[in-house]
Amino acid sequence: MPPLISNSTISTPSSSSGNSIFKRFKRDVYPTVDLPYENNIDHYFMGLALQQAQYAWDKGEVPIGAIIVRECTNDDGSIQSTNSTTTRRTFQILSAAHNKVETNIDASSHAELLALRNGAQNIGNWRYPPNSRLYTTLEPCPMCLASIQAFRIDNIIYGAPDNRLGAIKTHMNLISVAKHPYHEVKSVIGGVREEECGDIIVRFFRERRELKKKEKKKMMDVVVKGEDRRRDLLKLPLEKRIKRSSRFISFVKKVLRRE
């Protein structure tokens, strides 16, 4: 996803308030979404995170996606409406990312961390504005949860639980056990489109296991053919054995090159 904003777009605020810079955001700076009040906001944005997860799968990565959005507010902190009847809510997409552990050869390249880093670069501030929401298709691990708190994200919404590394509820509950000294996450919602978020990971690993089985079967077929050839060679005179052996070695090399 191309940068949503450049540093040159942000003007230096006259106020000394750390949040005043975010009040200068314009509707045409970031991708902006207007949704009806009765619309399922979390369901919609988790769909965008699932799109990111699919991008990860297409690259051979574990399919996990994350996006960061903020609900637009007025200068006084009240929710901003797009019209006088207050029937719609306005959100800006600050960042989007997917898992790139294998691509970057970096164990920390989780979807959440990449989204946090990219968004901070986009807005020119490592502190995210109030009302920011991070959507991720999988329950954050301890590393990602600590980063979410460090970047001052107010709301966390995740899809499927992570039985092995989930740091919010499933494996451990770090938010309750160890509160962050500088920032309190205001809300956590889990299980949003849980079935879809879990299913894409299950299907990914199932496909990978099937590919490994096929590769193993191909190699076993080569070995079996080699054993059959060896037995046939032993029945031949020495000169014919040498010729046939060289041809078989060439055949094996071709098969391995195709793999």
Side-chain angles (χ1 to χ4, degrees):
M1 186 173 183
L4 305 178
I5 188 173
S6 63
N7 291 335
S8 60
T9 313
I10 302 176
S11 58
T12 304
S14 57
S15 171
S16 60
S17 171
N19 292 330
S20 61
I21 188 173
F22 301 114
K23 296 174 183 176
R24 295 175 173 269
F25 286 169
K26 305 295 184 182
R27 285 175 58 84
D28 59 349
V29 172
Y30 293 93
T32 304
V33 179
D34 292 325
L35 297 173
Y37 260 85
E38 64 274 11
N39 193 68
N40 190 330
I41 305 297
D42 294 339
H43 186 276
Y44 174 84
F45 285 117
M46 189 60 73
L48 299 185
L50 279 165
Q51 288 180 5
Q52 291 293 321
Q54 185 61 54
Y55 297 154
W57 186 338
D58 295 342
K59 296 177 182 178
E61 300 277 0
V62 177
I64 302 169
I67 69 165
I68 301 174
V69 306
R70 72 181 286 265
E71 185 165 9
C72 298
T73 60
N74 298 312
D75 287 355
D76 60 0
S78 60
I79 300 299
Q80 186 182 80
S81 171
T82 57
N83 56 49
S84 57
T85 57
T86 320
T87 59
R88 303 179 75 81
R89 299 166 70 180
T90 302
F91 294 86
Q92 291 177 315
I93 301 173
L94 305 183
S95 180
H98 54 269
N99 188 31
K100 287 186 178 179
V101 170
E102 302 297 337
T103 302
N104 295 347
I105 317 177
D106 180 1
S108 70
S109 290
H110 289 195
E112 301 95 319
L113 259 174
L114 293 178
L116 289 165
R117 292 169 182 165
N118 295 343
Q121 291 295 317
N122 291 337
I123 65 178
N125 196 322
W126 60 268
R127 294 182 181 88
Y128 274 83
N131 306 310
S132 294
R133 305 178 176 204
L134 184 142
Y135 290 85
T136 175
T137 56
L138 188 67
E139 180 181 0
C141 68
M143 174 181 67
C144 291
L145 176 59
S147 300
I148 290 168
Q149 293 171 314
F151 278 93
R152 309 298 197 261
I153 295 291
D154 282 343
N155 309 286
I156 302 172
I157 302 95
Y158 68 89
D162 186 349
N163 296 320
R164 294 183 176 181
L165 291 172
I168 291 178
K169 181 180 179 182
T170 310
H171 177 60
M172 61 183 77
N173 189 343
L174 287 182
I175 291 182
S176 298
V177 173
K179 291 188 176 182
H180 196 277
Y182 308 120
H183 180 70
E184 180 180 358
V185 175
K186 292 181 173 59
S187 70
V188 177
I189 300 174
V192 177
R193 301 183 74 160
E194 177 179 342
E195 186 174 345
E196 295 171 78
C197 293
D199 181 63
I200 191 172
I201 295 177
V202 170
R203 288 188 291 110
F204 172 80
F205 283 108
R206 184 182 297 151
E207 180 185 86
R208 201 151 81 168
R209 284 194 296 269
E210 289 298 321
L211 288 174
K212 285 184 178 180
K213 285 181 182 178
K214 289 179 181 178
E215 290 174 359
K216 186 176 181 180
K217 186 177 182 302
K218 284 182 181 179
M219 293 303 298
M220 288 301 297
D221 289 344
V222 171
V223 172
V224 169
K225 286 181 181 179
E227 286 296 317
D228 292 341
R229 292 256 185 170
R230 188 181 66 82
R231 284 193 291 269
D232 293 340
L233 285 172
L234 291 175
K235 299 174 184 178
L236 297 173
L238 181 59
E239 289 183 3
K240 290 186 177 181
R241 284 189 214 172
I242 294 171
K243 289 181 181 180
R244 297 235 181 143
S245 295
S246 60
R247 286 201 299 269
F248 178 66
I249 290 170
S250 299
F251 163 75
V252 172
K253 286 181 178 179
K254 287 180 181 179
V255 170
L256 292 176
R257 278 199 296 270
R258 285 199 297 270
E259 293 297 321

